[in-house]
Amino acid sequence: MDLVFRDAEVVDGTGGASYRADVAIDGGRIAAIVKEGAAAGCQRPAARRVVDAEGLVLSPGFIDMHAHSDLALLRDPDHSAKAAQGVTLEVLGQDGLSYAPVDDRTLAEVRRAITGWNGSGDDIDFDWRTVGEYLDRLDRGIAVNAAYLIPQGTVRMYAVGWDDRPATESELDHMRRLVAEGMEQGAVGMSSGLTYTPGMYAKDAELTELCRVVAGYGGYYCPHHRSYGAGALEAYEEMVRLTRDAGCALHLAHATMNFGVNEGRAPELLALLDEALDAGSDISLDTYPYTPGCTTLVAVLPSWASEGGPEAVLARLRDDGTAERIRHHLEVIGSDGCHGVPVDWDTIEISGVSEGTLTDWVGRRVDGWATARRLLLEDRLGTTILQHVGHEENVRTIMRHRVHTGGSDGILQGLKPHPRAYGTFPQYLGRYVRELGVLTLEDCVAHLTSRPAARLGLTDRGVVREGNAADLVLFDPATVAAGSTYESPRTLPTGIPHVLVGGEFVMEDGRRTSALAGRSVRRAR
């Protein structure tokens, strides 16, 4: 054998009780599992290298069901932000906005639109246009594995543009073709950002048609739906109904209940989902174990202010009359970009800027519309924010649900990113398992491994089983913890000494190796 972990406590991802065993790795696969007390005469596996795993839990590698590492994986080969957490697979293409499929015009527009998420991309060679070409680029070698969702907002940008109107029949056909081609090339499903333009301009009938294409390939729909604030339950119900009509599996992105209007209402969401599940719907969800959200400052504007794209937004902000209309929608009516809730500026903290002269704003709260308008103009829409609008009891209630999985929603840009980008998975294990007992260790690991693998249609990952890919993490259950905090968000976790991708150490003795063992993970038709 290549490698044996000796005397590990195996939490295998199924949710079943842990057991003590030797686990042997050979050729990038789990070659043998020999449990303690196996029948007499069963030899312990030998290997070229033996690692003493006494006191460590060995589990499947964690799957981040909501990642924003679309460019970070290419920009930063180290990528310790995720590798050090034990993440061995990330799902990219989230919230309806990413970099494939595109033509030259669409690529320039989407780069501008999500600079706050991923940077400008000036340091990236965009040598792809299709989903398949992007996945081929990942296959040159990345820190961890990655799967991809076709971004519906980008597809609409490509076929329709930035207009707030129904697609014509020919435009709808174009979008269907783009989605079909992306699925053929290996995407696992389609995402939407229905509080982000231009994806939010799509009505249900249009989304249903695209979901039917996704369903034909066995993929799933992953919407950031139309509201997490006022009307949140109606927005969830809309997605359940839409995917039921399309015959498509549904995975609800960062399924939270935020803002004051939703405090204590998580049980209502779960009752809605349970009713649909019991009626036969195929539904799953992900959450991060924190209360604040993270997005771009421009995202909170009303959707009409973003019609036409970034330059049109800036022109509206420069015009005093239009800027006053935007303020009224934000502060009095409740912008659809701010989930239908009048904005509370005290909840908005600047986490990152694109313009270097504005760095003094990072870590400060926005003190009103005049400041927000100035930042949007001077930073050319590149400002990222934390929005302190969540509720701890809602977070705990939702993470207990039978279809829950883990997703960081980790935006890696900015001087002061959300700590979830570096801490989501050890935060689950340290705070919510060991300290609070919200989940048992075995159940939590299942949430982070086998459940997401099943949603992705992966039969050889997510469970410690002979023959499966050796995507593995070893952690100390007594010390594992998120190092990242709101004050020091890029601090790496503790208690995770070893992480393997395809049998190669990407983290060894708590340090990042030089291995680029990750590749694209493509859904077979």
Side-chain angles (χ1 to χ4, degrees), residues 142-449:
I142 48 180
V144 301
N145 297 314
Y148 189 74
L149 294 164
I150 301 162
Q152 170 261 331
T154 301
V155 167
R156 196 172 214 272
M157 197 186 305
Y158 192 154
V160 181
W162 290 83
D163 297 338
D164 183 1
R165 62 171 175 80
T168 66
E169 191 58 39
S170 64
E171 290 167 342
L172 184 56
D173 283 342
H174 189 189
M175 287 190 282
R176 287 192 193 100
R177 289 196 303 274
L178 290 171
V179 172
E181 288 166 2
M183 295 300 296
E184 289 275 1
Q185 293 162 7
V188 295
M190 181 179 75
S191 74
S192 283
L194 299 179
T195 64
Y196 299 126
T197 56
M200 68 189 301
Y201 298 143
K203 305 303 182 188
D204 284 4
E206 179 180 313
L207 296 171
T208 300
E209 287 300 308
L210 299 183
C211 282
R212 287 189 175 121
V213 176
V214 172
Y217 290 88
Y220 68 93
Y221 181 44
C222 180
H224 164 129
H225 52 271
R226 298 191 193 274
S227 177
Y228 293 82
L233 288 173
E234 292 79 5
Y236 280 112
E237 198 280 330
E238 176 192 10
M239 295 297 101
V240 170
R241 182 180 63 251
L242 186 156
T243 49
R244 182 184 62 230
D245 292 346
C248 187
L250 172 64
H251 181 84
L252 294 163
H254 38 61
T256 56
M257 294 286 286
N258 288 339
F259 301 89
V261 295
N262 289 317
E263 185 172 3
R265 299 187 69 189
E268 296 176 57
L269 166 62
L270 301 184
L272 184 158
L273 298 182
D274 283 334
E275 182 180 358
L277 287 161
D278 292 343
S281 292
D282 183 359
I283 301 173
S284 55
L285 59 88
D286 66 68
T287 70
Y288 46 83
Y290 298 88
T291 53
C294 179
T295 187
T296 56
L297 183 57
V298 68
V300 306
L301 301 186
S303 57
W304 60 261
S306 294
E307 187 175 7
E311 288 302 325
V313 179
L314 291 168
R316 293 184 181 104
L317 289 167
R318 293 187 192 102
D319 180 79
D320 289 343
T322 308
E324 171 57 23
R325 185 181 167 208
I326 293 172
R327 183 205 65 78
H328 183 75
H329 271 256
L330 279 168
E331 296 183 350
V332 179
I333 297 174
S335 159
D336 51 2
C338 197
H339 305 274
V341 177
V343 67
D344 178 356
W345 293 113
D346 286 341
T347 67
I348 295 181
E349 177 186 357
I350 303 302
S351 62
V353 293
S354 297
E355 174 55 54
T357 60
L358 299 172
T359 55
D360 285 348
W361 280 100
V362 175
R364 294 165 61 181
R365 301 290 175 118
V366 176
D367 57 9
W369 168 240
T371 296
R373 180 187 179 192
R374 174 192 161 191
L375 282 168
L376 287 164
L377 286 168
E378 294 186 11
D379 207 23
R380 295 187 61 79
L381 314 182
T383 306
T384 53
I385 61 172
L386 301 186
Q387 202 165 7
H388 296 268
V389 293
H391 305 285
E392 177 67 19
E393 188 53 41
N394 283 350
V395 170
R396 297 188 193 188
T397 299
I398 293 170
M399 74 170 62
R400 295 185 183 103
H401 195 262
R402 54 178 161 148
V403 298
H404 170 266
T405 68
S408 70
D409 196 12
I411 294 174
L412 299 166
Q413 286 296 117
L415 293 177
K416 195 172 181 286
H418 196 305
R420 69 194 185 193
Y422 283 73
T424 286
F425 295 88
Q427 178 83 338
Y428 271 118
L429 297 169
R431 177 166 171 75
Y432 288 94
V433 172
R434 184 181 64 247
E435 295 177 7
L436 298 176
V438 175
L439 298 168
T440 68
L441 180 58
E442 289 84 354
D443 191 26
C444 184
V445 169
H447 287 222
L448 307 181
T449 59

Side-chain angles (χ1 to χ4, degrees), residues 446-500:
H447 287 222
L448 307 181
T449 59
S450 63
R451 286 190 193 175
R455 167 52 71 217
L456 295 168
L458 304 176
T459 59
D460 68 341
R461 300 170 198 263
V463 175
V464 178
R465 179 184 296 139
E466 290 181 358
N468 276 8
D471 292 353
L472 302 169
V473 56
L474 284 94
F475 62 91
D476 181 348
T479 63
V480 62
S484 60
T485 64
Y486 293 102
E487 293 72 30
S488 301
R490 296 186 188 274
T491 305
L492 296 181
T494 57
I496 305 179
H498 303 303
V499 182
L500 286 81

